[in-house]
């Protein structure tokens, strides 16, 4: 009988031990991140998509209307400054120019004739004045000769003034002729040609914008125009470094420099007021063309802390504390922080390189025991 009780007693002890082992506290798995050294970069990013633009882009047209006589370029063709792009029919102006130049030549001949006469009568007046001094001629003849010399001199001077008038008339007709010729104001690539041979080109009426005849783009100088939230605008300065990211080229970025910050805030939306910021690309891609009009994001570097102690941003709790692994326990400490961004936080003091922190302290309940795995973190 005693054996039975002993057997049952032993069984109860074993069962209680099994239950106790089953319900023992289990280690809580956590991820750890080491305190290391690196850079912490603070940037400002545009709120809406920016745009790749050209430093020079012109929609070219001629001031007057006329029939298109020649189109010297095609879309996609590169031109140099001063190259002929398009001409209008201008035979009538050429005829006016020929007449003006003929009138100029005739005026020059007449001037030479009149000035030659003036020189002759001036010599004759001098000769009679010499004879009068010797009482070899009458005073009347001498005065008539001097009066005639003065008159011819004035005629010669008028002829010289007329020469300048003739030059101005030629220049005027040449200016009218230049209005029939469209020249490239800068070197670039022709984006569009919106005209055809023989077509009548209508000039833009006052206050009504007509499509340009030729769209010319200088694609050697490119910049990004992007809207930055008004809250971040005060942190921006001309000359700050930036990088450009393109939807058309994922995984790549291009260096840029801020060149302009608009002196006003755009009020396109009441709840999203922005400041337009421009940055010139300092290293555009050379392997692929960068097209005008690409959507782009502009990331401006505001502050950079170089080679500092830093921790992953996920290691810090909302109250600024972190959980540092000491032995088999996590101890809550509150370091002093420096520069921070979405991924990294600079440690000013309170932590040392190699300290291991709970990567997500907000998900940990209790103080131990723990099973830890160090998380490898990269820039």
């Amino acid at each position: 009988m005693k054996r039975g009780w002993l057997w049952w007693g032993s069984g109860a002890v074993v069962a209680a031990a099994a239950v106790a082992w089953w319900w023992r506290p289990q280690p809580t798995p956590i991820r750890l991140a080491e305190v290391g050294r690196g850079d912490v970069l603070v940037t400002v990013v545009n709120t809406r998509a920016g745009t790749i633009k050209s430093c020079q882009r012109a929609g070219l047209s001629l001031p007057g209307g006329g029939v298109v006589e020649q189109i010297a370029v095609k879309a996609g063709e590169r031109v140099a400054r001063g190259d002929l792009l398009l001409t209008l029919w201008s035979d009538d102006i050429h005829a006016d120019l020929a007449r003006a130049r003929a009138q100029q030549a005739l005026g020059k001949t007449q001037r030479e004739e009149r000035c030659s006469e003036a020189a002759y009568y001036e010599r004759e007046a001098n000769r009679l004045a010499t004879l009068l001094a010797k009482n070899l001629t009458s005073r009347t003849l001498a005065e008539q000769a001097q009066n005639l010399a003065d008159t011819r001199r004035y005629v010669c001077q008028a002829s010289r003034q007329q020469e300048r008038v003739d030059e101005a008339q030629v220049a005027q007709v040449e200016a009218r002729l230049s209005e029939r010729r469209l020249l490239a104001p800068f070197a670039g690539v022709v984006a569009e040609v919106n005209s055809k041979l023989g077509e009548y080109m209508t000039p833009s009426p006052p206050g009504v914008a007509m499509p340009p005849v030729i769209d010319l783009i200088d694609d050697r100088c490119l910049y990004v125009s992007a809207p930055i939230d008004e809250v971040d605008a005060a942190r921006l300065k001309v000359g700050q470094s930036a990088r450009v990211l393109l939807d058309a080229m994922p995984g790549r970025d291009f260096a840029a420099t801020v060149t302009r910050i608009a002196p006003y805030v755009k009020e396109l939306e009441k709840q999203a007021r922005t400041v337009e910021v421009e940055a010139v690309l300092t290293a555009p891609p050379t392997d692929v063309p960068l097209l005008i009009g690409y959507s782009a994001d502009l990331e401006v570097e505001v502050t950079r802390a170089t080679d500092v102690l830093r921790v992953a941003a996920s290691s810090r709790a909302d109250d600024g504390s972190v959980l540092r692994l000491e032995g088999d326990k996590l101890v809550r400490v509150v370091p002093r922080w420096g520069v921070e961004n979405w991924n990294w936080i600079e440690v000013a003091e309170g932590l040392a390189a190699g300290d291991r922190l709970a990567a997500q302290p907000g998900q940990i309940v209790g103080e131990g025991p723990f099973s830890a795995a160090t998380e490898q973190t990269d820039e």
Side-chain angles (χ1 to χ4, degrees), residues 290-332:
L290 195 58
L291 302 182
I292 310 300
Y294 268 157
S295 61
D297 289 326
L298 181 63
E299 186 175 316
V300 182
E301 180 180 322
V302 176
T303 305
R304 177 187 288 270
T306 305
D307 192 25
V308 296
L309 279 180
R310 66 179 187 179
V311 299
S314 60
S315 301
R316 186 178 67 175
D318 293 340
D319 61 358
S321 65
V322 295
L323 294 177
R324 180 171 58 193
L325 183 64
E326 298 181 2
D328 60 349
K329 293 184 179 181
L330 290 173
V331 178
R332 188 175 298 277

Side-chain angles (χ1 to χ4, degrees), residues 41-46 224 226-228 232-233 235-245 254 256-261 275-279 297-304:
L41 177 64
V42 180
T43 59
V44 170
V45 185
N46 51 290
V224 178
I228 302 292
D232 299 321
R235 306 163 65 188
L236 301 180
K237 296 179 181 179
V238 173
Q240 286 177 328
S241 298
R243 61 182 190 137
V244 176
L245 300 94
F254 306 98
T257 302
V258 175
T259 55
R260 176 180 178 269
I261 302 171
V275 175
E276 203 69 18
V277 176
E278 296 176 0
D297 289 326
L298 181 63
E299 186 175 316
V300 182
E301 180 180 322
V302 176
T303 305
R304 177 187 288 270

Side-chain angles (χ1 to χ4, degrees), residues 51-55 221-225 276 278 292-294:
T51 305
I52 297 291
K53 296 184 178 181
S54 171
C55 297
C221 176
L222 303 175
Y223 72 96
V224 178
S225 179
E276 203 69 18
E278 296 176 0
I292 310 300
Y294 268 157

